[in-house]
Amino acid sequence: EKKTFPSKREAVAWATAREAELAELGGGGTLKRSLRHALERYRDEVSPTKRGERWEVVRINSFLKNGPDGKPVWPLVDRPMRDIQTADLAAWRDERLKKVKGASVLREIGLLRAVWAKAKKEWRYTNADPWEDLAKPKDSRARERIFTDEEVDRIVQALGWIDGTTPKDRRQETAVALLLALETAMRSGELLSLEWADVDLERRVARLQLTKNGDARDVPLSRRAVELLKCMQGRDETRVFTLTPQLRDTYYRQARDMAGVEGVTFHDARATACTRLAKKLSVLELARMIGHRDLRSLQVYYRESAEDLASRLD
């Protein structure tokens, strides 16, 4: 293994550490390093290179935290990685499922498997993959909650925005962001990162430079979407929205509660938009617009009843 360093001191320190590791290699050619050590190293070295850094860091820190008694909340973290078996992980999975939904456990498993892969291939903390034989929990059912027009009107009214005007503050910006999400199916993060340089109102296209799956995407804009974007002109020279995710979340929740609307999240605006667009676009067109790679995942948005489909057969 080779590596370049800016100074001789750092190079010597690295070489010394490598020599110590080689001398320490135990059974199966692995180092006796705890899961805690692997999680901390992954958090500090690998997570910062990924778009999902914030979520990964929060989740890893939750794995590492200690309880009021000073002992780790997850006892496995202080076990050597090479000693952790599938049965240990199965017991953890079952305990987690008592507290959170299957979808949450699946995301955690995905993160932990990435840590194991790095530790096995590059760090030599283990030579086995105990996740391989672990049965995964079933994913939670997709949310079926979508906005009604009346609910949208009440929330927008609670946010204090008047249609066709330039928002006076970030609270009113939240109203426009909600309406634009309902019109374009863009995610909240995509909307809030949108810059004017990437918006062409003449061609009716918004360019998302970086999306959830890591690819750039062009989003076609309806006439209503163009109207909403024009309302945002003059708020900021660079960014379309000056909102942060935290402010957007706060203002939306306050307005939703004030409007007396229950059980609908800001993210449900995307599902609502996808459901509406599914009536206008083919599955391939919808996939291209909203950035889905797996066409099967789009089936949930085609919500027509058997009765609706029957009427097309005549």
Side-chain angles (χ1 to χ4, degrees), residues 257-268:
D257 295 344
M258 188 184 304
V261 177
E262 297 181 355
V264 64
T265 68
F266 191 97
H267 183 69
D268 289 328

Side-chain angles (χ1 to χ4, degrees), residues 273-285:
C274 290
T275 300
R276 294 174 179 175
L277 290 167
K279 297 179 180 179
K280 304 176 181 180
L281 305 176
S282 70
V283 64
L284 290 175
E285 291 168 336

Side-chain angles (χ1 to χ4, degrees), residues 184-217:
T184 63
M186 281 195 269
R187 300 178 179 89
S188 173
E190 294 169 346
L191 280 169
L192 300 190
S193 64
L194 195 60
E195 296 187 354
W196 287 115
D198 298 318
V199 177
D200 190 329
L201 296 180
E202 292 297 323
R203 293 177 53 239
R204 290 169 49 184
V205 173
R207 177 75 170 174
L208 300 177
Q209 297 293 349
L210 194 58
T211 62
K212 184 178 180 180
N213 61 24
D215 298 332
R217 182 171 94 249

Side-chain angles (χ1 to χ4, degrees), residues 196 232-242:
W196 287 115
M232 294 302 302
Q233 290 178 325
R235 285 288 294 169
D236 188 84
E237 292 184 2
T238 304
R239 298 169 55 197
V240 176
F241 293 96
T242 64

Side-chain angles (χ1 to χ4, degrees), residues 113-176:
R113 291 202 70 166
V115 174
W116 245 267
K118 194 76 173 178
K120 179 183 177 184
K121 294 178 181 178
E122 298 185 18
W123 301 338
R124 290 190 287 184
Y125 294 174
T126 181
N127 56 12
D129 181 8
W131 297 98
E132 189 174 1
D133 297 324
L134 183 75
K136 292 182 179 180
K138 292 183 179 180
D139 198 351
S140 307
R141 291 184 61 187
R143 284 180 59 83
E144 297 183 354
R145 183 67 160 90
I146 60 176
F147 283 90
T148 66
D149 290 340
E150 182 189 7
E151 288 172 337
V152 174
D153 290 342
R154 283 156 54 190
I155 292 173
V156 169
Q157 184 177 8
L159 287 165
W161 183 66
I162 300 175
D163 199 348
T165 64
T166 299
K168 297 178 180 179
D169 51 34
R170 290 183 174 87
R171 180 181 293 276
Q172 293 186 12
E173 279 191 28
T174 302
V176 181

